[in-house]
Amino acid sequence: THEDRPIVFHTLPATPKSPTDEAQKSSSTPPKRSKATTAVPRLLSVVEIVKREFIKSLAAKRSPRLAGLHQYNEIGCLENTEPAVEEDRTAEIRRALSGSNQSVPLLFSTTDPDSVTSSVKLKSTPFMKVTLSLNALPELAESGATYVSCLTDAFVH
């Protein structure tokens, strides 16, 4: 049933609906730092509210269930590669050498049979996923997710 399915909250980036959506978005806004610094605390706040409301609903229904929700946390980093324009690479190197920019994206070269070298820019996007479930999900813990106990909070009442 749908009640037994776990619910997943995450900070993964939204997938663009079409290539033109992505092109319009990237051309209209300047590149910014990852939103993970603000998204993760908000995600955790939402998860804690959901867990607290679940416990309150158990109390309101006088449910015999004595446990809250099982929580599994996963953190990671998505690595996106995109071709780097040669002028961008040169500008990044100049900025790095001048000392004016302390965070320089990683650039590396690969040999390509059709050309001498081509540059690729690595961009990583940190993310967090939180899975809440009525039942234990040992496969998530085995895959590296951290487990948070599902005991009820005595201070909710």
Side-chain angles (χ1 to χ4, degrees):
T1 67
H2 71 280
E3 292 177 0
D4 292 336
R5 289 191 338 199
I7 185 167
V8 178
F9 299 92
H10 63 81
T11 62
L12 292 166
T15 325
K17 294 179 181 157
S18 70
T20 55
D21 290 347
E22 184 63 27
Q24 289 173 350
K25 181 181 175 186
S26 63
S27 66
S28 64
T29 58
K32 295 181 182 177
R33 290 184 0 188
S34 172
K35 293 184 181 182
T37 53
T38 57
V40 169
R42 288 178 182 172
L43 170 76
L44 294 174
S45 293
V46 169
V47 167
E48 290 304 317
I49 291 168
V50 169
K51 288 170 41 179
R52 185 173 51 243
E53 292 301 315
F54 178 78
I55 298 298
K56 283 182 183 178
S57 72
L58 290 179
K61 295 184 215 172
R62 303 207 187 285
S63 172
R65 181 181 171 95
L66 298 176
L69 297 167
H70 297 269
Q71 178 178 336
Y72 297 88
N73 301 325
E74 298 170 80
I75 57 171
C77 207
L78 299 176
E79 289 186 6
N80 307 322
T81 57
E82 57 188 46
V85 178
E86 192 59 33
E87 295 103 35
D88 290 344
R89 182 172 186 269
T90 305
E92 292 291 342
I93 291 170
R94 281 193 187 125
R95 250 196 316 270
L97 293 174
S98 72
S100 64
N101 187 1
Q102 297 302 319
S103 88
V104 178
L106 175 63
L107 295 172
F108 65 92
S109 295
T110 59
T111 53
D112 187 351
D114 298 328
S115 65
V116 179
T117 54
S118 62
S119 296
V120 176
K121 190 178 201 178
L122 286 180
K123 186 170 71 174
S124 57
T125 305
F127 70 90
M128 181 172 193
K129 275 184 6 180
V130 178
T131 304
L132 298 177
S133 174
L134 291 172
N135 306 308
L137 302 171
E139 64 275 8
L140 282 179
E142 290 168 5
S143 70
T146 57
Y147 175 73
V148 178
S149 174
C150 65
L151 298 175
T152 57
D153 187 349
F155 301 106
V156 171
H157 304 291

